[in-house]
């Protein structure tokens, strides 16, 4: 899809936008006014991850049965596999396109997992992190949020000095 002219066009170098949830990630590439979905990863919790219980044994006779659930270990295993796949995709895209900028849109705990799996050089390429899940929304909203934040950082108003604070704090009388 085309990026509107009012937003940055990424003409000099491509940028990677990652929209991620807990088990789903979408990788968008922005280059020369185009914004396209490059790769999607979706891992749904496996059937046995929902609830798998087992009776492991008994102590004396059939009175004291012991049961356990593997739900927690399957979920943690799924999170590690998802983290590994995301790292592989980011690593491949960095090698293929020589990216200089990465923007991450994910909840705080997922963004931390993504950042932990990256190398130091790859972490330096992450320019901004937005702690919200944008996997289901319009992808152009990610560029708009990035651009609004960039504008806000560039044109930040300086804090008023002490004299100005006193004047601003006084009530206006008409």
């Amino acid at each position: 899809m085309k990026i509107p002219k009012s937003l940055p066009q990424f003409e000099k170098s491509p940028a990677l936008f990652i929209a991620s949830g807990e088990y789903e990630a979408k990788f968008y590439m922005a280059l020369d006014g185009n914004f396209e979905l490059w790769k999607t990863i979706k891992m749904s919790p496996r059937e046995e991850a929902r609830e798998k219980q087992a009776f492991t044994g008994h102590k004396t006779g059939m009175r004291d049965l012991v049961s356990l659930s593997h739900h927690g270990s399957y979920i943690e295993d799924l999170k590690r596999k998802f983290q590994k796949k995301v790292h592989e995709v980011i690593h491949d895209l960095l090698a293929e396109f020589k990216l200089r900028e990465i923007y991450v849109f994910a909840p705080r705990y997922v963004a931390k997992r993504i950042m932990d799996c990256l190398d130091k050089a790859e972490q330096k390429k992450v320019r901004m992190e937005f702690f919200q899940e944008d996997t289901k929304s319009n992808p152009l909203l990610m560029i708009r949020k990035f651009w609004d934040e960039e504008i806000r950082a560039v044109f930040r108003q300086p804090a008023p000095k002490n004299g100005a604070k006193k004047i601003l704090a006084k009530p206006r009388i008409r």
Side-chain angles (χ1 to χ4, degrees):
M1 72 181 73
K2 291 281 189 188
I3 299 173
K5 295 290 183 190
S6 62
L7 298 174
Q9 299 295 307
F10 301 98
E11 294 166 344
K12 294 179 183 175
S13 67
L16 177 64
F17 286 80
I18 303 170
S20 181
E22 195 162 9
Y23 302 112
E24 179 181 9
K26 294 181 180 181
F27 300 88
Y28 295 94
M29 193 67 64
L31 177 63
D32 293 329
N34 291 323
F35 192 65
E36 57 188 73
L37 178 65
W38 200 258
K39 180 97 174 163
T40 302
I41 297 174
K42 187 168 185 174
M43 299 177 73
S44 60
R46 298 178 273 176
E47 289 297 317
E48 58 266 14
R50 291 197 180 119
E51 193 62 37
K52 183 174 183 177
Q53 293 182 346
F55 292 107
T56 59
H58 49 86
K59 291 182 180 178
T60 56
M62 292 297 284
R63 281 190 276 161
D64 298 328
L65 292 174
V66 179
S67 69
L68 58 101
S69 173
H70 296 290
H71 180 74
S73 62
Y74 283 117
I75 293 295
E76 291 304 315
D77 182 43
L78 190 62
K79 288 177 185 176
R80 280 191 300 275
K81 286 181 181 179
F82 178 75
Q83 182 181 13
K84 186 177 178 183
K85 277 190 173 187
V86 167
H87 178 258
E88 288 172 1
V89 171
I90 292 172
H91 189 73
D92 292 343
L93 289 173
L94 283 172
E96 185 178 344
F97 290 101
K98 309 251 188 286
L99 298 170
R100 286 192 255 164
E101 300 174 349
I102 299 174
Y103 302 97
V104 178
F105 292 81
R108 191 175 298 274
Y109 60 96
V110 177
K112 182 183 180 327
R113 259 191 262 146
I114 291 172
M115 292 299 289
D116 289 345
C117 75
L118 297 176
D119 304 335
K120 292 282 186 191
E122 294 170 345
Q123 285 179 356
K124 289 180 182 176
K125 294 183 182 200
V126 176
R127 242 179 107 191
M128 288 184 192
E129 292 180 73
F130 296 90
F131 300 117
Q132 59 199 24
E133 185 175 349
D134 283 337
T135 55
K136 307 265 189 280
S137 64
N138 185 351
L140 288 176
L141 289 177
M142 291 190 297
I143 293 179
R144 183 164 306 283
K145 288 175 190 173
F146 143 72
W147 187 241
D148 290 343
E149 197 64 33
E150 189 85 12
I151 294 293
R152 198 172 300 129
V154 170
F155 295 112
R156 182 164 290 165
Q157 298 271 337
K161 300 201 185 227
N162 287 336
K165 284 182 185 177
K166 288 179 185 178
I167 294 171
L168 292 172
K170 289 182 183 179
R172 291 175 39 162
I173 300 173
R174 291 187 174 188

